[in-house]
Amino acid sequence: MKKLLILFCITFFVSNTFSQEEKPNVLVFYVDDLRAELGCYGSETAITPNIDKLAADGVQFNKAYVQQAICAPSRMSTLTGLRPETLGIYSIFTPLRKVHKKVVSMPQLFKKNGYKTVSIGKVYHHSVDDKQYWTYHFKKEANSYVKSENIALMKRLKAEGVKPLKGPAYEDADVEDEAYKDGRVSKYAIETLNKIKDDKFLMFVGLSKPHLPFNAPKKYWDLHDKSKFKIPSRTKPEGMYRLALSSWGELKGYYGIPKKVDLDDELTRTLIHGYHASVSFIDAQVGKIMQTLEELDLRKNTMVIFMSDHGYKIGEYGAWCKHSNVEIDVRVPLIISRETNYKKRKTGKTSNALVENVDIFPTLVDFCGLKGPKSDGKSILPVINKPNKNWDKIATSVYARGKKIMGVTATDGKWRYTEWRNSVTNEILQAELYEHKNSLLSFVNLSGNKKYKKTEVRMKMLLEKQFPRDTPFLQNDKPRK
């Protein structure tokens, strides 16, 4: 009897020690150009059943913000836990490791700590960044077309020496998912999950859609009734800074898009249709991967994060794409669902806490019990576990207009205050104050309005804590003018 008791104690101790040492897995869906309008966010036009299901199985953040509304700096910020103003990189042209050799990144830290690290599709904007720190690395693919007429068009444009070489802004071929690159991303993710199912892993699934071109299988276009899409107001906010919005050259670079005039209603509605089809397309890929996670019995020990690198305009303010400090470009969807074997996990909850993408790295360090590098963000694990918890007073973002002008912005969840400054002297060129109650849009700049003076003073003080006027902006690249 005594021997049995000793054996039981030893077994219990070994088992308990193993369970304490067992590290959880992390799966991150990192989506490109996805605005905070999905079924779970109250959209009347988005068809996203799989993302909605994930939201019902976790915590949906209604006030999540990126640090810059452009791909490369935003993704670097997420993967290093450092803000663009700390890295000094504000454009898409400078890879992280060209400037920062010693910054410790998420894949670097996790691989050092025994994790299998996986990058599939578009994770970093520059695939060369941290390639050596990914155990499995599937580089992002170039945009491609499937329809024969578009393939022929691309060959002709290339032969004519057209640069940059861009085809149509959308395509709806009647093909299977894997004919387009995001379908292949989900295929690679499923195959890799089967390979690493017995290992600790950090997996990033980089879904490129709904980034231009809006290329998605016809069945996802057919989910939506084009006639029901409303044309957004082309009115620009009254009193807006002259450079607050871009001239959306990203879209104008595609074949068949007018270069100098607003898009007409027909083309606008077609592009809105294509954007929604692309969102439904990536939603289906999320569903496939989540099903595999369940089938492999990995969900019980895997935190799942669904996030975007920035928001997007589809005609609002008469503008397109991102590249600004306006609310619709810097607010993003963020859904976090804890591992199912965590008994106190929260499901079907929403949080209005102000959180930022720069918080993701320290959150995962905290979640996995690692010792991480210094970060500009902080762990939001307490909010994931208690969604109504009081949190930060502001979230901040930047956007450079060339090397001479820097836009800095802050939100408290209701008000957005922006200063456009001289990048060298920090002289304020113009300020903007917008009210956002329950909308991504605002049409009147209230800066200077006596009625809102107290609000503006308060927001200005909050902004300048993050962007002090006596501190010049670090410049480690050459931002796009």
Side-chain angles (χ1 to χ4, degrees), residues 65 77 80 143 190 215 229 245 335 347 479:
Y65 293 92
S77 184
T80 63
N143 292 320
I190 290 167
N215 293 356
F229 292 116
L245 298 174
I335 299 166
T347 61

Side-chain angles (χ1 to χ4, degrees), residues 240-256:
M240 174 177 262
Y241 179 56
R242 64 184 181 86
L243 298 178
L245 298 174
S246 75
S247 57
W248 40 282
E250 180 184 1
L251 174 59
K252 291 176 181 177
Y254 283 86
Y255 183 82

Side-chain angles (χ1 to χ4, degrees), residues 71-77 79-80 87 89 91-108 117-140 204 477:
C71 295
S74 177
R75 290 167 179 266
M76 289 178 198
S77 184
L79 290 157
T80 63
L87 295 169
I89 299 175
S91 79
I92 62 171
F93 304 111
T94 305
L96 173 69
R97 296 304 179 184
K98 182 178 180 180
V99 177
H100 296 285
K101 309 295 185 184
K102 296 183 179 179
V103 165
V104 177
S105 67
M106 197 186 305
Q108 183 179 359
T117 54
V118 185
S119 172
I120 304 175
K122 186 173 181 180
V123 178
Y124 277 106
H125 179 77
H126 300 277
S127 286
V128 294
D129 274 336
D130 281 350
K131 187 176 179 180
Q132 70 272 33
Y133 299 126
W134 298 109
T135 310
Y136 297 92
H137 181 264
F138 298 81
K139 65 183 294 187
K140 69 173 182 178
F204 271 78
D477 71 348

Side-chain angles (χ1 to χ4, degrees), residues 1-222:
M1 184 67 183
K2 187 176 180 180
K3 290 182 179 180
L4 286 174
L5 181 60
I6 293 172
L7 182 61
F8 173 81
C9 290
I10 293 173
T11 303
F12 175 82
F13 175 79
V14 171
S15 176
N16 190 50
T17 301
F18 176 78
S19 65
Q20 288 176 351
E21 292 180 350
E22 186 181 7
K23 300 292 186 183
N25 303 314
V26 179
L27 172 62
V28 182
F29 293 102
Y30 207 177
V31 186
D32 203 345
D33 286 4
L34 186 64
R35 53 204 255 151
E37 286 192 344
L38 303 163
C40 53
Y41 279 87
S43 172
E44 296 179 357
T45 50
I47 300 176
T48 53
N50 295 293
I51 300 169
D52 299 346
K53 182 180 178 182
L54 181 60
D57 196 36
V59 179
Q60 173 184 310
F61 290 88
N62 295 328
K63 302 288 183 179
Y65 293 92
V66 298
Q67 279 45 77
Q68 189 175 341
I70 188 172
C71 295
S74 177
R75 290 167 179 266
M76 289 178 198
S77 184
T78 296
L79 290 157
T80 63
L82 300 173
R83 297 178 184 275
E85 58 268 29
T86 299
L87 295 169
I89 299 175
Y90 310 102
S91 79
I92 62 171
F93 304 111
T94 305
L96 173 69
R97 296 304 179 184
K98 182 178 180 180
V99 177
H100 296 285
K101 309 295 185 184
K102 296 183 179 179
V103 165
V104 177
S105 67
M106 197 186 305
Q108 183 179 359
L109 179 72
F110 274 74
K111 189 173 185 180
K112 181 181 177 181
N113 281 275
Y115 277 76
K116 294 295 176 69
T117 54
V118 185
S119 172
I120 304 175
K122 186 173 181 180
V123 178
Y124 277 106
H125 179 77
H126 300 277
S127 286
V128 294
D129 274 336
D130 281 350
K131 187 176 179 180
Q132 70 272 33
Y133 299 126
W134 298 109
T135 310
Y136 297 92
H137 181 264
F138 298 81
K139 65 183 294 187
K140 69 173 182 178
E141 298 182 27
N143 292 320
S144 62
Y145 297 86
V146 178
K147 287 187 172 182
S148 58
E149 59 267 34
N150 286 336
I151 293 173
L153 171 66
M154 293 297 286
K155 288 182 179 179
R156 176 173 67 80
L157 294 176
K158 184 176 181 180
E160 293 173 357
V162 174
K163 292 182 180 180
L165 183 61
K166 289 187 176 181
Y170 58 91
E171 184 180 82
D172 61 348
D174 190 4
V175 292
E176 294 301 315
D177 290 3
E178 290 178 17
Y180 290 114
K181 60 181 179 179
D182 280 332
R184 294 190 287 274
V185 162
S186 67
K187 174 179 178 288
Y188 301 147
I190 290 167
E191 290 174 350
T192 306
L193 282 171
N194 277 276
K195 286 182 181 178
I196 62 175
K197 61 186 178 182
D198 297 322
D199 300 304
K200 297 181 298 184
F201 64 81
L202 167 73
M203 174 183 280
F204 271 78
V205 178
L207 294 163
S208 293
K209 299 300 107 178
H211 191 288
L212 284 163
F214 303 143
N215 293 356
K218 182 177 180 295
K219 61 185 175 183
Y220 299 107
W221 288 74
D222 291 345

Side-chain angles (χ1 to χ4, degrees), residues 235-394:
T235 301
K236 292 177 172 55
E238 180 183 332
M240 174 177 262
Y241 179 56
R242 64 184 181 86
L243 298 178
L245 298 174
S246 75
S247 57
W248 40 282
E250 180 184 1
L251 174 59
K252 291 176 181 177
Y254 283 86
Y255 183 82
I257 302 297
K259 303 295 186 286
K260 297 182 179 180
V261 297
D262 285 339
L263 307 188
D264 61 32
D265 286 359
E266 178 61 22
L267 182 53
T268 295
R269 192 172 277 111
T270 297
L271 290 173
I272 293 173
H273 188 185
Y275 183 89
H276 280 74
S278 297
V279 172
S280 292
F281 177 36
I282 65 106
D283 175 81
Q285 310 318 306
V286 170
K288 294 176 189 177
I289 296 167
M290 288 301 298
Q291 182 178 347
T292 301
L293 208 62
E294 294 284 359
E295 291 173 349
L296 295 176
D297 198 26
L298 292 171
R299 186 68 179 93
K300 65 183 181 183
N301 194 38
T302 304
M303 173 185 277
V304 179
I305 299 176
F306 179 90
M307 62 187 296
S308 174
D309 59 353
H310 42 68
Y312 202 78
K313 296 180 294 295
I314 46 176
E316 293 84 4
Y317 303 141
W320 293 80
C321 308
K322 51 274 187 182
H323 312 116
S324 86
N325 276 330
V326 297
E327 182 83 359
I328 198 169
D329 285 350
V330 295
R331 193 198 299 182
V332 288
L334 175 64
I335 299 166
I336 302 180
S337 179
R338 287 205 59 159
E339 69 282 19
T340 57
N341 69 359
Y342 181 61
K343 294 180 180 179
K344 296 182 179 180
R345 67 193 296 264
K346 301 298 181 182
T347 61
K349 301 295 183 181
T350 59
S351 174
N352 289 319
L354 291 171
V355 298
E356 302 174 280
N357 279 11
V358 74
D359 297 328
I360 297 299
F361 189 2
T363 299
L364 294 181
V365 167
D366 186 12
F367 173 65
C368 295
L370 307 179
K371 184 177 180 181
K374 182 179 178 181
S375 176
D376 289 336
K378 66 179 183 180
S379 172
I380 61 171
L381 195 60
V383 188
I384 299 168
N385 293 334
K386 190 177 180 181
N388 292 327
K389 187 177 180 66
N390 289 330
W391 205 239
D392 289 349
K393 292 183 178 180
I394 62 163

Side-chain angles (χ1 to χ4, degrees), residues 384-452:
I384 299 168
N385 293 334
K386 190 177 180 181
N388 292 327
K389 187 177 180 66
N390 289 330
W391 205 239
D392 289 349
K393 292 183 178 180
I394 62 163
T396 62
S397 308
V398 299
Y399 205 91
R401 293 288 183 220
K403 294 190 72 175
K404 296 181 179 180
I405 299 174
M406 180 67 74
V408 292
T409 187
T411 181
D412 66 354
K414 178 182 178 183
W415 295 94
R416 174 163 297 284
Y417 177 71
T418 303
E419 290 181 353
W420 293 94
R421 301 179 183 177
N422 180 299
S423 295
V424 178
T425 67
N426 259 320
E427 173 193 359
I428 300 173
L429 306 175
Q430 187 172 329
E432 297 174 293
L433 178 67
Y434 298 106
E435 184 176 16
H436 292 277
K437 292 181 180 178
N438 297 305
S439 174
L440 290 166
L441 304 174
S442 186
F443 292 92
V444 181
N445 177 11
L446 298 170
S447 177
N449 188 315
K450 293 181 180 179
K451 182 179 178 182
Y452 303 99

